[in-house]
Amino acid sequence: MKDTHRIKSIIKNLHEKYPKAKTSLSHRNAIEMLIATILSAQCTDDRVNLVTGQLFKKYLTARDFANADIDKLQQEIRSTGFYKNKAKNIINCCKILLEKYHGKVPDAIGELISLPGVGRKTANVVLGNIFDKAEGLVVDTHVKRLSYRMGLTKNKNPEKIEMDLMKITPKKDWIFFSHALIWHGRKICNARKPLCSSCSLKGICPRLGVRIYV
């Protein structure tokens, strides 16, 4: 089955299984989505949500983050890992938001990825979840793992994987597909022991690199 045909079958299956797939990061607005996604690098969404539950009570706007005491902010986000770089990026990012965008989060991928701490993954998360704009696909550890196992890419670099997926996935499905793959990766196709025997995609997934089927 050609990739373009198989991807449609995969997406149809995921729509049936995860019709409400969406980001797990708690947020109420664009600035919270941006900060939460920056914090999510090398960290679980559950941990980020624990941290932002308190953080977003104290820092409400880009100005609040821009004016934050870096030592205090580091301690407030410490448990998300890489807290020194994340605190520095958050403060500098929000300073630029104030200087160039009147404290608002821009809705263009070029402007987003120019901000400190923001790469394509973060930009795609913000664009998809806040502005409903599909400029690409979110490639996190789950999407990276599943897209390889499903034979949708041979690349390991996230940006190359994203380009491969963009070529075969209908643009209208880009936002949903990323969310659904992440949900499927957490629930079924986990890293160490994927539950292949109970996977609804087992008939169309080549299970590349998978040695143990449970």
Side-chain angles (χ1 to χ4, degrees):
M1 189 184 296
K2 291 184 178 180
D3 284 343
T4 51
H5 293 153
R6 191 154 59 89
I7 200 79
K8 291 179 181 179
S9 296
I10 292 172
I11 292 171
K12 181 177 183 294
N13 183 288
L14 293 175
H15 263 295
E16 293 171 354
K17 192 169 183 63
Y18 310 109
K20 297 182 179 180
K22 61 181 181 179
T23 181
S24 298
L25 291 171
S26 298
H27 66 283
R28 296 170 295 185
N29 50 51
I31 189 65
E32 290 187 357
M33 183 81 269
L34 177 61
I35 300 303
T37 312
I38 291 174
L39 291 175
S40 72
Q42 303 298 311
C43 183
T44 66
D45 288 359
D46 287 344
R47 168 55 57 183
V48 172
N49 289 339
L50 284 175
V51 170
T52 58
Q54 295 301 314
L55 196 70
F56 292 158
K57 292 178 182 179
K58 180 177 179 180
Y59 304 96
L60 303 179
T61 64
R63 186 175 300 279
D64 292 336
F65 281 107
N67 294 331
D69 179 277
I70 191 166
D71 292 326
K72 288 183 179 179
L73 184 58
Q74 284 179 4
Q75 294 310 308
E76 289 164 335
I77 66 172
R78 188 185 184 99
S79 65
T80 67
F82 303 97
Y83 61 94
K84 291 185 178 180
N85 280 336
K86 288 180 181 180
K88 178 182 176 181
N89 284 334
I90 287 171
I91 290 173
N92 289 336
C93 174
C94 288
K95 284 181 177 179
I96 293 174
L97 291 182
L98 288 175
E99 293 168 2
K100 296 183 66 175
Y101 305 106
H102 307 289
K104 304 296 183 181
V105 177
D107 64 352
I109 194 164
E111 294 175 332
L112 281 168
I113 61 176
S114 71
L115 298 171
V118 179
R120 282 194 64 90
K121 187 193 87 168
T122 298
N124 283 327
V125 170
V126 173
L127 289 171
N129 288 282
I130 297 299
F131 301 106
D132 197 30
K133 282 190 172 185
E135 296 292 341
L137 290 96
V138 175
V139 178
D140 72 343
T141 56
H142 297 292
V143 175
K144 179 180 178 180
R145 181 176 71 253
L146 270 66
S147 59
Y148 176 78
R149 285 178 175 174
M150 292 179 182
L152 303 177
T153 183
K154 293 181 180 179
N155 286 302
K156 295 185 178 180
N157 176 276
E159 290 196 11
K160 290 183 178 179
I161 292 171
E162 182 186 1
M163 297 303 115
D164 287 342
L165 295 178
M166 288 169 68
K167 291 175 184 176
I168 60 175
T169 308
K171 188 172 183 178
K172 65 181 179 62
D173 295 310
W174 286 359
I175 296 172
F176 167 80
F177 189 46
S178 295
H179 289 317
L181 283 181
I182 291 169
W183 279 33
H184 194 64
R186 288 173 178 158
K187 296 174 183 292
I188 302 293
C189 195
N190 54 67
R192 294 185 178 181
K193 297 182 70 174
L195 306 176
C196 295
S197 62
S198 58
C199 178
S200 57
L201 295 170
K202 61 184 178 182
I204 53 177
C205 176
R207 302 181 239 189
L208 298 181
V210 178
R211 295 181 181 178
I212 301 175
Y213 309 141
V214 187

